[in-house]
């Protein structure tokens, strides 16, 4: 049932990022909202299956975005790896840690984008890179990623409670049906 939650979350964030936010002038070039989900997945689990889920999310974003394929996969995996490394050293529920990792996550994506520009173009094109966009996205990431993680955490815990209640109710109804047959 957790998989269903993350599928809905991924679709919701993609729709918000690609359809809703571009209609607002302030958020037209917002940071990648799926960073919120990647960070949340990184916080709740350190299993290798999460890396597989992150690769799938990256494939979805790579297929609908205009950047070179593997850009999102690579950036999401780096975010996941960095969080896993620092999660062992620091207290992961710390607000300071979440703020810092939010900034680092947005910077990882822009660093990879800057690297792609450098590899594909000549040296002078780096100075044509939109650094003001990077600064705006880091600012919005600093403001919105921590509350986004908090909101996803609340929704996730409510989802778990609701699914356990439904499973219990379904199990109870099934037991009652079996008892009536006998």
């Amino acid at each position: 049932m957790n998989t269903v939650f993350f599928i809905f979350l991924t679709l919701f964030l993609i729709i918000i990022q690609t359809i809703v936010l571009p209609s607002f002038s302030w958020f037209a070039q917002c940071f990648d909202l799926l960073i919120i989900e990647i960070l949340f997945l990184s916080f709740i689990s350190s299993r290798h299956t999460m890396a597989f889920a992150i690769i799938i999310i990256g494939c979805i974003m790579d297929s609908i975005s205009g950047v070179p394929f593997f850009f999102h996969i690579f950036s999401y995996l780096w975010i996941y790896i960095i969080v896993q490394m620092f999660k062992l050293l620091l207290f992961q529920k710390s607000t300071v840690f979440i703020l810092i990792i939010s900034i680092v996550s947005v910077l990882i994506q822009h660093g990879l984008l800057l690297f792609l520009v450098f590899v594909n173009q000549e040296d002078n094109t780096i100075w044509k890179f939109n650094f003001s966009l990077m600064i705006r996205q880091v600012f919005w990431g600093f403001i919105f990623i921590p509350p986004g993680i908090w909101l996803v955490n609340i929704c996730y815990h409510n989802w778990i409670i609701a699914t356990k209640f439904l499973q219990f109710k379904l199990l109870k109804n099934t037991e009652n049906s079996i008892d009536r047959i006998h």
Side-chain angles (χ1 to χ4, degrees):
M1 292 306 282
N2 292 344
T3 305
V4 174
F5 173 79
F6 289 112
I7 289 171
F8 283 138
L9 179 62
T10 302
L11 293 175
F12 175 75
L13 290 174
I14 288 172
I15 289 169
I16 295 294
Q17 181 172 330
T18 58
I19 297 171
V20 176
L21 288 182
S23 62
F24 297 101
S25 62
W26 280 45
F27 300 113
Q29 296 176 330
C30 184
F31 65 94
D32 185 2
L33 291 181
L34 287 170
I35 290 175
I36 295 170
E37 183 176 9
I38 301 305
L39 288 173
F40 183 75
L41 287 171
S42 301
F43 290 144
I44 65 169
S45 179
S46 59
R47 295 180 295 185
H48 299 297
T49 55
M50 285 301 158
F52 181 69
I54 289 170
I55 289 171
I56 291 173
I57 294 168
C59 283
I60 293 169
M61 281 307 291
D62 282 338
S63 64
I64 64 173
S65 68
V67 296
F69 203 75
F70 290 111
F71 173 77
H72 287 98
I73 295 170
F74 196 64
S75 64
Y76 293 163
L77 282 175
W78 270 110
I79 292 168
Y80 177 75
I81 290 168
I82 288 172
V83 169
Q84 293 305 312
M85 286 185 334
F86 286 107
K87 190 166 82 167
L88 299 172
L89 302 173
L90 302 169
F91 184 58
Q92 67 186 9
K93 303 285 184 184
S94 165
T95 306
V96 174
F97 176 66
I98 293 174
L99 289 172
I100 291 171
I101 205 66
S102 300
I103 292 170
V104 169
S105 299
V106 176
L107 287 174
I108 285 172
Q109 281 198 325
H110 279 282
L112 288 173
L113 194 58
L114 186 61
F115 178 73
L116 286 171
V117 168
F118 178 72
V119 167
N120 290 329
Q121 306 293 325
E122 50 194 60
D123 296 341
N124 295 336
T125 56
I126 289 179
W127 301 116
K128 296 177 185 175
F129 187 76
N130 194 350
F131 288 102
S132 66
L133 173 66
M134 179 182 73
I135 292 168
R136 282 194 313 266
Q137 287 188 353
V138 166
F139 173 75
W140 288 121
F142 180 77
I143 299 295
F144 286 114
I145 289 175
I149 292 171
W150 176 74
L151 186 63
V152 169
N153 189 32
I154 290 172
C155 292
Y156 180 67
H157 285 295
N158 288 338
W159 176 267
I160 289 173
I161 291 169
T163 55
K164 284 183 181 182
F165 175 75
L166 290 174
Q167 287 173 349
F168 176 74
K169 192 169 183 166
L170 182 64
L171 180 64
K172 190 174 181 179
N173 287 340
T174 305
E175 287 175 353
N176 289 340
S177 299
I178 291 173
D179 289 340
R180 284 186 211 149
I181 293 174
H182 293 303

